[in-house]
Amino acid sequence: MRMRQLQCFVVLAEELNFTRAAQRLNMSQPPLSTQIQTLERELGTDLINRTSRKVALTRAGERFLQRARNILDQYERSLQEIREIQQGQDGMVEIGTTGSILRGGLSELLSSFAASHPRITLRVHEQSPVAQINEVRRRRTDVSFNRSIPHDEELAHEYAWQEELVALVRSDHRLAGRASVSIADLRGDQFVVLQSESSDFAAYVMSYIVASGYRPRISQQVIDAQSIPSLVAAGFGVSIVPAGIAKLTTGPLVFLPIRPDPPHSEVYIIYHQHDPTPALQLFLAETRRMLGHDPVGTP
């Protein structure tokens, strides 16, 4: 089995058309058909159903598609790592996170690490919490900074830091001049919230509001907390967000501490439990040192 065969299969599976797939691969149709047939012989099964009208994946082809993509991803990443070693770099760490966590302190941590270890490349990918965990599980990224804890024996998690949650209102809101607010003060407002199913953090915020004695009237639901300030500024309601979102946020907005008993959000470091990659292990060790604690999470 060759990488070119896998590449041909993945492109054909995406296009489901030999002409378009051949064009994407910069080859003619006969060699493409030969590559697919050779792959099928080596696997001992048909991956493609061919008719005069259409091309479709067989059941085996559907199952094999994700495996083929993973193999190609790993292959491309290995080539990139080799190139970087040849260029004098010592490795690369792929990092998944959200914009709100970046603003909440992660950007400073990454900046400090990069300054101390310039030969290691850091690549940040902004993704939803669920996507981050899936990407670490599939080994497409090395580490995730996430407000949700994975329920997977292959993944380990460690507590990183805690961030206070604050109320976000427009500057012309009736409470904007207060030094602080309570959740009860917001009872009459509409809320902009994260989709509850998008993360454990979103579910926690909703449960915190409900525990105060009322169910919020929701005007908008979003996936990424970074989207919330724009909607609040546009007049769609108020929200409860991590304090870090206040950093670099502009517009007619006010961030108010919640008192008494302010809610908090924990950020966790998530990584594959059995990943000996030197660059990742160095990154984890330095991160723990910069945060001032040893790993305390459970795998």
Side-chain angles (χ1 to χ4, degrees), residues 19 41 43 61 65 91 97 114 130 132 139 149 159 163 166 173-174 178 182 216 222 227 231 250 262 265 267 298:
T19 300
R41 280 198 306 271
L43 292 174
L65 178 59
T97 190
V130 173
Q132 289 176 48
R139 296 181 184 269
I149 296 175
Y159 170 80
E163 187 174 2
V166 298
H173 190 275
R174 69 185 188 283
R178 296 265 201 98
S182 69
V222 299
S227 303
L231 291 171
T250 59
S265 170
V267 175
T298 57

Side-chain angles (χ1 to χ4, degrees), residues 61-74:
E62 292 174 351
R63 182 67 62 87
F64 185 66
L65 178 59
Q66 186 59 58
R67 299 290 187 184
R69 282 173 170 156
N70 288 341
I71 292 170
L72 289 173
D73 286 341
Q74 290 296 317

